Amino acid sequence: HVQLVESGGGSVQAGGSLRLSCVASEDAFEMDLIAWYRQAPRKEREGVAVVYTGGGSELYADSVRGRFTVSQDRFKKTVYLEMNSLKPEDTGVYYCASGSGPWLWSFYEPALWGQGTQVTVS
């Protein structure tokens, strides 16, 4: 059974930091990429950051570029999202998802989703 499990969410004051983790089971890391999404209250889900599991560049949404950093530990089959300078607008449920490439931003449809972890910034 292939799955992704997010953790690390919580409540933080504006300007603070959180580090999210996404642990992949079985062969999820064999997929081309792992992406972080978020869904804020009363807003549509949006892609936040993407990392290709084979290495290379990372991609970020304009709203988080310069504040968030995505990285991976291939031995632990874990992808991280380091979130700094958090704003109330960053509040939402954060999901990791995996799928084949290439990344197509709003047109991309992941093959596998995690359960989500809540991030609240006040």
Side-chain angles (χ1 to χ4, degrees):
H1 179 68
V2 179
Q3 62 178 348
L4 301 169
V5 179
E6 304 95 331
S7 63
S11 298
V12 65
Q13 295 292 314
S17 300
L18 286 172
R19 183 180 177 88
L20 307 183
S21 299
C22 173
V23 180
S25 64
E26 297 188 19
D27 59 349
F29 254 70
E30 295 181 4
M31 298 184 180
D32 289 339
L33 59 87
I34 295 180
W36 285 97
Y37 289 80
R38 68 184 180 188
Q39 186 164 21
R42 301 177 298 278
K43 292 185 177 180
E44 295 183 0
R45 183 187 63 204
E46 63 174 336
V48 174
V50 177
V51 61
Y52 285 87
T53 56
S57 62
E58 300 80 41
L59 305 174
Y60 300 93
D62 291 341
S63 58
V64 306
R65 186 176 295 110
R67 299 187 297 120
F68 291 11
T69 303
V70 64
S71 61
Q72 65 179 327
D73 185 333
R74 300 186 70 181
F75 293 101
K76 296 181 178 179
K77 297 183 178 180
T78 302
V79 172
Y80 304 95
L81 184 67
E82 180 73 29
M83 306 185 295
N84 300 311
S85 301
L86 283 163
K87 307 174 181 179
E89 295 76 31
D90 296 317
T91 293
V93 179
Y94 283 69
Y95 303 87
C96 63
S98 63
S100 59
W103 175 252
L104 300 173
W105 293 104
S106 62
F107 295 94
Y108 188 80
E109 186 64 36
L112 181 67
W113 290 88
Q115 85 290 343
T117 184
Q118 176 71 42
V119 172
T120 302
V121 185
S122 61

